[in-house]
Amino acid sequence: MSGDRTVKIGKMIRIVCLLCVAFLVISLFGCTPTGPEKESESKNAEPAYGGALKVIIDAEPPAIDMHVSTTTLVYHVGWHIFEQLYTLNEEFDVIPMLAAETPEISADKLTYSIKLREGIQFHNGKELTSADVVASLERWGEISSNGKALFKNIDYIEADGSYGLTIKLTQPVGTLLVYLAIPNGGAAIYPEEIVADAGAESVDEFIGTGPFEFVEWVPNQYIKLKKNENYKPVEFAATGYGGAKEAFVDELYFHFIVDASVRVAGVESGDFHFADFVPVDEYDRLKDLPGLVAVASQPRGWFSVVLNKKQGPMANKLIRQAFLAALDMEPIMDAGYGHRDFWRLDPSIMFKEQIWWSNAGDELYNQKDIERAKNLLAEAGYKGEPIRWMTGPLEYNFSLTAKNQLEQAGFNIDLQRMEWATVTERRSNSELWEAFSTGFTFRADPTMMAFLRPSYAGWWENEEVQALLEEMEQNDNFDDRYAAMEKIQEIFYDDVPVVKIGDYSNLRLLGPDVHGFMNMNEIFFWNVWLEE
């Protein structure tokens, strides 16, 4: 980047991104005893073309339209098909993808002028133009939680010829490019006509500009993609989630296998090439098996229980405080995640490896105080109303242990195990649940934590938090932003919209013929090839 252009990106973006380097280093190196060896082998190997790469993910995604959901599985499949104007490099810095370069930014920081790369084709053969980008961003701003957060500060977006657009803000937003670059609930670019047909519903034609094209989705089995023969990569080296991408394999399958033992056996047998969310208890055995590569990413996210603030018993703050007071997090994480090299207790809503880490409110984390919980329930007038608690398979064990603790305090827990896709579908209806288990993954900036937004399931409408978030979005002074973040975390522990359980990493397993895999905190399979 030129010096001028770097200035235009904005001081805040650099602060956010550069200080994430420590996190990345730890993620890649600190806990991957076999990973670096594999990467070294890959660097020395000649990429090969062809074959079908078979990936196992732990559940079926509820959609692959990146606008409609922040669920990780959505973009783990979707970003092979769709692309955004910007993405993140290996240092979590913003880099262009469909944009030709970083934008021109006016002196008052209210006008962003973005040029598009020319000659980019969608999978249906249509050329990408600014009309597609404007339509996609406007839809994203209407239905995505991240889009809504950004668009409240956008006056308008308009095309500037066929290959340019202008974003006009009502006030400076230091994290605008980061919003356009992050993949979860990502600002993916679709053809204008597909956006118009879909409206707020999930698109039913999966047409993007990415290195892979959609082929078929067989419910309860797999999603199949194929190589995009007309893909036009950027003209700089692969880095992080961007740079030059290439589909080395002809076909890419995402198989949905809930049973963890089947996922492990599938890679060990050679039927599949990659499995995510392998049980960490298997790590000591798998890391010594010849040929296979057991890779940890840490920390990837934190387990949590989201509480329904809109209606039902958990709308009562005292009952939410009782829920938090009763829990002893160590046995919960022991039961839920096993091997202690893969989890830790920590109160912060941001990771220790980030500059945003804080112990604000930590006196209310991991209280394990059953008597206080009982007193709070009595004060709230709780009469044993059922707490319908939805959990997916991955979160079931920790949820079950927490259930037992809560029942000692007097809660009436109705723990409901279901497929993750069902959890994500039901959680949008406040009448169907009081709590659900989930995990919140790495975010570059606190303002991007989904649960802080009233639109996220759980519906936390706290005026003071929203004012602090607005202050953070407009202010590029780190000390001021950090003070606001700490205040938000204090309110988080007092108001208890979500209960944080603990940080976790997940174990990944690669077969012996897989090369080029980048062990970042998210998974992707462009630039990955199979040994002939």
mmCIF file of all heavy atoms in Angstrom, residues 381-416:
data_model
loop_
_atom_site.group_PDB
_atom_site.id
_atom_site.type_symbol
_atom_site.label_atom_id
_atom_site.label_comp_id
_atom_site.label_asym_id
_atom_site.label_seq_id
_atom_site.Cartn_x
_atom_site.Cartn_y
_atom_site.Cartn_z
ATOM 1 N N GLY A 381 -39.568 -13.784 42.433
ATOM 2 C CA GLY A 381 -40.878 -14.416 42.447
ATOM 3 C C GLY A 381 -40.992 -15.574 41.479
ATOM 4 O O GLY A 381 -42.079 -15.885 40.985
ATOM 5 N N TYR A 382 -39.881 -16.221 41.205
ATOM 6 C CA TYR A 382 -39.862 -17.351 40.258
ATOM 7 C C TYR A 382 -40.654 -18.531 40.839
ATOM 8 O O TYR A 382 -40.420 -18.944 41.979
ATOM 9 C CB TYR A 382 -38.422 -17.753 39.977
ATOM 10 C CG TYR A 382 -38.258 -18.958 39.066
ATOM 11 C CD1 TYR A 382 -38.658 -18.911 37.740
ATOM 12 C CD2 TYR A 382 -37.688 -20.140 39.550
ATOM 13 C CE1 TYR A 382 -38.488 -20.007 36.905
ATOM 14 C CE2 TYR A 382 -37.510 -21.240 38.725
ATOM 15 C CZ TYR A 382 -37.915 -21.164 37.393
ATOM 16 O OH TYR A 382 -37.745 -22.263 36.575
ATOM 17 N N LYS A 383 -41.579 -19.074 40.089
ATOM 18 C CA LYS A 383 -42.467 -20.136 40.545
ATOM 19 C C LYS A 383 -42.189 -21.470 39.858
ATOM 20 O O LYS A 383 -43.044 -22.340 39.813
ATOM 21 C CB LYS A 383 -43.923 -19.740 40.270
ATOM 22 C CG LYS A 383 -44.341 -18.410 40.911
ATOM 23 C CD LYS A 383 -44.256 -18.459 42.426
ATOM 24 C CE LYS A 383 -44.772 -17.148 43.029
ATOM 25 N NZ LYS A 383 -44.576 -17.109 44.514
ATOM 26 N N GLY A 384 -41.016 -21.643 39.327
ATOM 27 C CA GLY A 384 -40.679 -22.907 38.676
ATOM 28 C C GLY A 384 -41.150 -23.017 37.243
ATOM 29 O O GLY A 384 -41.303 -24.129 36.711
ATOM 30 N N GLU A 385 -41.385 -21.872 36.601
ATOM 31 C CA GLU A 385 -41.783 -21.928 35.189
ATOM 32 C C GLU A 385 -40.680 -22.618 34.380
ATOM 33 O O GLU A 385 -39.493 -22.405 34.629
ATOM 34 C CB GLU A 385 -41.996 -20.515 34.640
ATOM 35 C CG GLU A 385 -43.127 -19.737 35.299
ATOM 36 C CD GLU A 385 -42.655 -18.921 36.493
ATOM 37 O OE1 GLU A 385 -41.580 -19.255 37.066
ATOM 38 O OE2 GLU A 385 -43.340 -17.963 36.865
ATOM 39 N N PRO A 386 -41.054 -23.459 33.405
ATOM 40 C CA PRO A 386 -40.028 -24.166 32.609
ATOM 41 C C PRO A 386 -39.127 -23.199 31.842
ATOM 42 O O PRO A 386 -39.612 -22.219 31.271
ATOM 43 C CB PRO A 386 -40.854 -25.022 31.645
ATOM 44 C CG PRO A 386 -42.201 -25.116 32.266
ATOM 45 C CD PRO A 386 -42.419 -23.838 33.016
ATOM 46 N N ILE A 387 -37.847 -23.500 31.846
ATOM 47 C CA ILE A 387 -36.875 -22.767 31.036
ATOM 48 C C ILE A 387 -36.529 -23.663 29.862
ATOM 49 O O ILE A 387 -35.771 -24.635 29.987
ATOM 50 C CB ILE A 387 -35.603 -22.425 31.848
ATOM 51 C CG1 ILE A 387 -35.961 -21.687 33.142
ATOM 52 C CG2 ILE A 387 -34.638 -21.619 30.984
ATOM 53 C CD1 ILE A 387 -36.670 -20.373 32.941
ATOM 54 N N ARG A 388 -37.123 -23.381 28.690
ATOM 55 C CA ARG A 388 -36.875 -24.198 27.493
ATOM 56 C C ARG A 388 -35.533 -23.785 26.910
ATOM 57 O O ARG A 388 -35.366 -22.672 26.435
ATOM 58 C CB ARG A 388 -38.006 -24.000 26.490
ATOM 59 C CG ARG A 388 -39.363 -24.488 26.974
ATOM 60 C CD ARG A 388 -40.469 -23.961 26.080
ATOM 61 N NE ARG A 388 -40.552 -22.512 26.152
ATOM 62 C CZ ARG A 388 -41.338 -21.757 25.380
ATOM 63 N NH1 ARG A 388 -42.096 -22.335 24.455
ATOM 64 N NH2 ARG A 388 -41.351 -20.450 25.511
ATOM 65 N N TRP A 389 -34.588 -24.731 26.948
ATOM 66 C CA TRP A 389 -33.186 -24.432 26.609
ATOM 67 C C TRP A 389 -32.807 -25.278 25.398
ATOM 68 O O TRP A 389 -32.699 -26.492 25.490
ATOM 69 C CB TRP A 389 -32.317 -24.760 27.821
ATOM 70 C CG TRP A 389 -30.853 -24.489 27.672
ATOM 71 C CD1 TRP A 389 -30.159 -24.237 26.540
ATOM 72 C CD2 TRP A 389 -29.895 -24.462 28.734
ATOM 73 N NE1 TRP A 389 -28.840 -24.044 26.810
ATOM 74 C CE2 TRP A 389 -28.643 -24.177 28.166
ATOM 75 C CE3 TRP A 389 -29.972 -24.657 30.102
ATOM 76 C CZ2 TRP A 389 -27.475 -24.100 28.918
ATOM 77 C CZ3 TRP A 389 -28.814 -24.580 30.859
ATOM 78 C CH2 TRP A 389 -27.579 -24.284 30.267
ATOM 79 N N MET A 390 -32.604 -24.634 24.266
ATOM 80 C CA MET A 390 -32.252 -25.336 23.034
ATOM 81 C C MET A 390 -30.728 -25.480 22.944
ATOM 82 O O MET A 390 -29.987 -24.523 23.211
ATOM 83 C CB MET A 390 -32.737 -24.559 21.800
ATOM 84 C CG MET A 390 -34.229 -24.265 21.782
ATOM 85 S SD MET A 390 -34.756 -23.517 20.213
ATOM 86 C CE MET A 390 -33.813 -21.989 20.206
ATOM 87 N N THR A 391 -30.285 -26.662 22.528
ATOM 88 C CA THR A 391 -28.843 -26.872 22.351
ATOM 89 C C THR A 391 -28.585 -27.783 21.169
ATOM 90 O O THR A 391 -29.324 -28.743 20.929
ATOM 91 C CB THR A 391 -28.202 -27.466 23.613
ATOM 92 O OG1 THR A 391 -26.813 -27.699 23.370
ATOM 93 C CG2 THR A 391 -28.862 -28.780 24.020
ATOM 94 N N GLY A 392 -27.522 -27.473 20.429
ATOM 95 C CA GLY A 392 -27.070 -28.357 19.368
ATOM 96 C C GLY A 392 -26.195 -29.457 19.939
ATOM 97 O O GLY A 392 -25.838 -29.437 21.131
ATOM 98 N N PRO A 393 -25.792 -30.422 19.133
ATOM 99 C CA PRO A 393 -24.978 -31.540 19.636
ATOM 100 C C PRO A 393 -23.655 -31.103 20.232
ATOM 101 O O PRO A 393 -23.222 -31.645 21.256
ATOM 102 C CB PRO A 393 -24.767 -32.401 18.384
ATOM 103 C CG PRO A 393 -25.894 -32.050 17.480
ATOM 104 C CD PRO A 393 -26.178 -30.607 17.722
ATOM 105 N N LEU A 394 -22.982 -30.132 19.620
ATOM 106 C CA LEU A 394 -21.675 -29.713 20.102
ATOM 107 C C LEU A 394 -21.754 -29.121 21.507
ATOM 108 O O LEU A 394 -20.848 -29.293 22.325
ATOM 109 C CB LEU A 394 -21.072 -28.684 19.136
ATOM 110 C CG LEU A 394 -19.695 -28.125 19.505
ATOM 111 C CD1 LEU A 394 -18.651 -29.238 19.461
ATOM 112 C CD2 LEU A 394 -19.295 -26.987 18.578
ATOM 113 N N GLU A 395 -22.830 -28.436 21.798
ATOM 114 C CA GLU A 395 -22.965 -27.741 23.079
ATOM 115 C C GLU A 395 -23.744 -28.558 24.109
ATOM 116 O O GLU A 395 -23.965 -28.084 25.240
ATOM 117 C CB GLU A 395 -23.664 -26.394 22.869
ATOM 118 C CG GLU A 395 -22.940 -25.424 21.952
ATOM 119 C CD GLU A 395 -23.215 -25.660 20.482
ATOM 120 O OE1 GLU A 395 -24.119 -26.480 20.182
ATOM 121 O OE2 GLU A 395 -22.535 -25.072 19.626
ATOM 122 N N TYR A 396 -24.158 -29.760 23.748
ATOM 123 C CA TYR A 396 -25.073 -30.507 24.630
ATOM 124 C C TYR A 396 -24.426 -30.865 25.967
ATOM 125 O O TYR A 396 -25.032 -30.679 27.032
ATOM 126 C CB TYR A 396 -25.562 -31.776 23.926
ATOM 127 C CG TYR A 396 -26.467 -32.601 24.816
ATOM 128 C CD1 TYR A 396 -27.779 -32.197 25.053
ATOM 129 C CD2 TYR A 396 -26.007 -33.767 25.442
ATOM 130 C CE1 TYR A 396 -28.614 -32.930 25.883
ATOM 131 C CE2 TYR A 396 -26.833 -34.499 26.271
ATOM 132 C CZ TYR A 396 -28.133 -34.077 26.483
ATOM 133 O OH TYR A 396 -28.955 -34.804 27.326
ATOM 134 N N ASN A 397 -23.206 -31.383 25.954
ATOM 135 C CA ASN A 397 -22.609 -31.856 27.208
ATOM 136 C C ASN A 397 -22.415 -30.726 28.213
ATOM 137 O O ASN A 397 -22.695 -30.885 29.406
ATOM 138 C CB ASN A 397 -21.273 -32.545 26.924
ATOM 139 C CG ASN A 397 -21.460 -33.916 26.309
ATOM 140 O OD1 ASN A 397 -22.548 -34.493 26.367
ATOM 141 N ND2 ASN A 397 -20.410 -34.440 25.696
ATOM 142 N N PHE A 398 -21.941 -29.585 27.746
ATOM 143 C CA PHE A 398 -21.774 -28.496 28.711
ATOM 144 C C PHE A 398 -23.124 -27.981 29.187
ATOM 145 O O PHE A 398 -23.303 -27.610 30.358
ATOM 146 C CB PHE A 398 -20.874 -27.380 28.157
ATOM 147 C CG PHE A 398 -21.547 -26.236 27.447
ATOM 148 C CD1 PHE A 398 -22.327 -25.311 28.139
ATOM 149 C CD2 PHE A 398 -21.358 -26.029 26.101
ATOM 150 C CE1 PHE A 398 -22.930 -24.238 27.497
ATOM 151 C CE2 PHE A 398 -21.944 -24.957 25.448
ATOM 152 C CZ PHE A 398 -22.747 -24.058 26.151
ATOM 153 N N SER A 399 -24.111 -27.992 28.298
ATOM 154 C CA SER A 399 -25.447 -27.544 28.680
ATOM 155 C C SER A 399 -26.062 -28.475 29.722
ATOM 156 O O SER A 399 -26.722 -28.022 30.665
ATOM 157 C CB SER A 399 -26.348 -27.469 27.444
ATOM 158 O OG SER A 399 -25.791 -26.619 26.459
ATOM 159 N N LEU A 400 -25.823 -29.778 29.558
ATOM 160 C CA LEU A 400 -26.373 -30.750 30.506
ATOM 161 C C LEU A 400 -25.771 -30.557 31.899
ATOM 162 O O LEU A 400 -26.485 -30.598 32.910
ATOM 163 C CB LEU A 400 -26.095 -32.168 30.006
ATOM 164 C CG LEU A 400 -26.633 -33.314 30.867
ATOM 165 C CD1 LEU A 400 -28.165 -33.237 30.979
ATOM 166 C CD2 LEU A 400 -26.205 -34.664 30.294
ATOM 167 N N THR A 401 -24.473 -30.332 31.974
ATOM 168 C CA THR A 401 -23.836 -30.098 33.270
ATOM 169 C C THR A 401 -24.354 -28.806 33.901
ATOM 170 O O THR A 401 -24.636 -28.757 35.109
ATOM 171 C CB THR A 401 -22.310 -30.021 33.094
ATOM 172 O OG1 THR A 401 -21.854 -31.231 32.502
ATOM 173 C CG2 THR A 401 -21.621 -29.830 34.437
ATOM 174 N N ALA A 402 -24.498 -27.772 33.109
ATOM 175 C CA ALA A 402 -25.043 -26.508 33.620
ATOM 176 C C ALA A 402 -26.476 -26.690 34.094
ATOM 177 O O ALA A 402 -26.880 -26.121 35.123
ATOM 178 C CB ALA A 402 -24.965 -25.442 32.533
ATOM 179 N N LYS A 403 -27.245 -27.482 33.365
ATOM 180 C CA LYS A 403 -28.636 -27.771 33.768
ATOM 181 C C LYS A 403 -28.678 -28.351 35.174
ATOM 182 O O LYS A 403 -29.478 -27.917 36.022
ATOM 183 C CB LYS A 403 -29.254 -28.747 32.771
ATOM 184 C CG LYS A 403 -30.594 -29.350 33.173
ATOM 185 C CD LYS A 403 -31.052 -30.378 32.140
ATOM 186 C CE LYS A 403 -32.424 -30.969 32.451
ATOM 187 N NZ LYS A 403 -32.411 -31.846 33.611
ATOM 188 N N ASN A 404 -27.808 -29.314 35.441
ATOM 189 C CA ASN A 404 -27.797 -29.954 36.761
ATOM 190 C C ASN A 404 -27.468 -28.945 37.857
ATOM 191 O O ASN A 404 -28.043 -28.990 38.949
ATOM 192 C CB ASN A 404 -26.792 -31.106 36.765
ATOM 193 C CG ASN A 404 -27.207 -32.235 35.835
ATOM 194 O OD1 ASN A 404 -28.404 -32.413 35.567
ATOM 195 N ND2 ASN A 404 -26.246 -32.996 35.339
ATOM 196 N N GLN A 405 -26.553 -28.040 37.586
ATOM 197 C CA GLN A 405 -26.209 -27.021 38.577
ATOM 198 C C GLN A 405 -27.390 -26.075 38.807
ATOM 199 O O GLN A 405 -27.700 -25.707 39.949
ATOM 200 C CB GLN A 405 -24.983 -26.232 38.115
ATOM 201 C CG GLN A 405 -23.700 -27.050 38.036
ATOM 202 C CD GLN A 405 -22.519 -26.223 37.538
ATOM 203 O OE1 GLN A 405 -22.622 -25.020 37.337
ATOM 204 N NE2 GLN A 405 -21.394 -26.886 37.326
ATOM 205 N N LEU A 406 -28.039 -25.676 37.741
ATOM 206 C CA LEU A 406 -29.152 -24.731 37.849
ATOM 207 C C LEU A 406 -30.334 -25.342 38.599
ATOM 208 O O LEU A 406 -31.032 -24.646 39.351
ATOM 209 C CB LEU A 406 -29.586 -24.282 36.452
ATOM 210 C CG LEU A 406 -28.568 -23.391 35.723
ATOM 211 C CD1 LEU A 406 -28.867 -23.345 34.237
ATOM 212 C CD2 LEU A 406 -28.583 -21.974 36.303
ATOM 213 N N GLU A 407 -30.537 -26.633 38.428
ATOM 214 C CA GLU A 407 -31.641 -27.292 39.131
ATOM 215 C C GLU A 407 -31.388 -27.326 40.638
ATOM 216 O O GLU A 407 -32.332 -27.313 41.429
ATOM 217 C CB GLU A 407 -31.847 -28.685 38.550
ATOM 218 C CG GLU A 407 -32.474 -28.623 37.147
ATOM 219 C CD GLU A 407 -32.626 -29.963 36.469
ATOM 220 O OE1 GLU A 407 -31.957 -30.935 36.908
ATOM 221 O OE2 GLU A 407 -33.398 -30.056 35.502
ATOM 222 N N GLN A 408 -30.117 -27.340 41.030
ATOM 223 C CA GLN A 408 -29.810 -27.268 42.462
ATOM 224 C C GLN A 408 -30.240 -25.923 43.053
ATOM 225 O O GLN A 408 -30.543 -25.818 44.245
ATOM 226 C CB GLN A 408 -28.307 -27.460 42.688
ATOM 227 C CG GLN A 408 -27.783 -28.841 42.366
ATOM 228 C CD GLN A 408 -26.277 -28.918 42.536
ATOM 229 O OE1 GLN A 408 -25.725 -28.362 43.478
ATOM 230 N NE2 GLN A 408 -25.621 -29.608 41.627
ATOM 231 N N ALA A 409 -30.247 -24.901 42.206
ATOM 232 C CA ALA A 409 -30.662 -23.566 42.670
ATOM 233 C C ALA A 409 -32.167 -23.374 42.600
ATOM 234 O O ALA A 409 -32.678 -22.365 43.101
ATOM 235 C CB ALA A 409 -29.967 -22.495 41.835
ATOM 236 N N GLY A 410 -32.882 -24.322 41.982
ATOM 237 C CA GLY A 410 -34.340 -24.209 41.906
ATOM 238 C C GLY A 410 -34.890 -23.954 40.523
ATOM 239 O O GLY A 410 -36.105 -23.833 40.355
ATOM 240 N N PHE A 411 -34.032 -23.889 39.501
ATOM 241 C CA PHE A 411 -34.530 -23.714 38.142
ATOM 242 C C PHE A 411 -35.206 -24.993 37.655
ATOM 243 O O PHE A 411 -34.799 -26.108 38.013
ATOM 244 C CB PHE A 411 -33.374 -23.377 37.188
ATOM 245 C CG PHE A 411 -32.962 -21.928 37.186
ATOM 246 C CD1 PHE A 411 -31.906 -21.490 37.979
ATOM 247 C CD2 PHE A 411 -33.633 -21.003 36.403
ATOM 248 C CE1 PHE A 411 -31.515 -20.164 37.978
ATOM 249 C CE2 PHE A 411 -33.244 -19.671 36.386
ATOM 250 C CZ PHE A 411 -32.185 -19.247 37.173
ATOM 251 N N ASN A 412 -36.200 -24.823 36.818
ATOM 252 C CA ASN A 412 -36.873 -25.935 36.143
ATOM 253 C C ASN A 412 -36.438 -25.908 34.680
ATOM 254 O O ASN A 412 -36.992 -25.158 33.879
ATOM 255 C CB ASN A 412 -38.385 -25.794 36.267
ATOM 256 C CG ASN A 412 -39.132 -26.892 35.513
ATOM 257 O OD1 ASN A 412 -38.547 -27.901 35.111
ATOM 258 N ND2 ASN A 412 -40.423 -26.681 35.318
ATOM 259 N N ILE A 413 -35.419 -26.715 34.366
ATOM 260 C CA ILE A 413 -34.796 -26.656 33.038
ATOM 261 C C ILE A 413 -35.351 -27.747 32.131
ATOM 262 O O ILE A 413 -35.335 -28.931 32.478
ATOM 263 C CB ILE A 413 -33.258 -26.811 33.142
ATOM 264 C CG1 ILE A 413 -32.657 -25.734 34.038
ATOM 265 C CG2 ILE A 413 -32.640 -26.771 31.746
ATOM 266 C CD1 ILE A 413 -32.781 -24.325 33.506
ATOM 267 N N ASP A 414 -35.835 -27.336 30.978
ATOM 268 C CA ASP A 414 -36.281 -28.262 29.935
ATOM 269 C C ASP A 414 -35.238 -28.203 28.813
ATOM 270 O O ASP A 414 -35.354 -27.405 27.888
ATOM 271 C CB ASP A 414 -37.659 -27.833 29.424
ATOM 272 C CG ASP A 414 -38.116 -28.677 28.236
ATOM 273 O OD1 ASP A 414 -37.528 -29.746 27.995
ATOM 274 O OD2 ASP A 414 -39.070 -28.243 27.553
ATOM 275 N N LEU A 415 -34.202 -29.053 28.929
ATOM 276 C CA LEU A 415 -33.105 -29.030 27.955
ATOM 277 C C LEU A 415 -33.516 -29.786 26.700
ATOM 278 O O LEU A 415 -33.874 -30.966 26.768
ATOM 279 C CB LEU A 415 -31.845 -29.654 28.567
ATOM 280 C CG LEU A 415 -30.565 -29.523 27.736
ATOM 281 C CD1 LEU A 415 -30.171 -28.063 27.544
ATOM 282 C CD2 LEU A 415 -29.414 -30.288 28.398
ATOM 283 N N GLN A 416 -33.468 -29.104 25.560
ATOM 284 C CA GLN A 416 -33.943 -29.679 24.298
ATOM 285 C C GLN A 416 -32.786 -29.790 23.325
ATOM 286 O O GLN A 416 -32.290 -28.778 22.833
ATOM 287 C CB GLN A 416 -35.054 -28.794 23.718
ATOM 288 C CG GLN A 416 -36.230 -28.615 24.648
ATOM 289 C CD GLN A 416 -37.237 -27.605 24.124
ATOM 290 O OE1 GLN A 416 -37.049 -26.988 23.073
ATOM 291 N NE2 GLN A 416 -38.325 -27.431 24.859
#
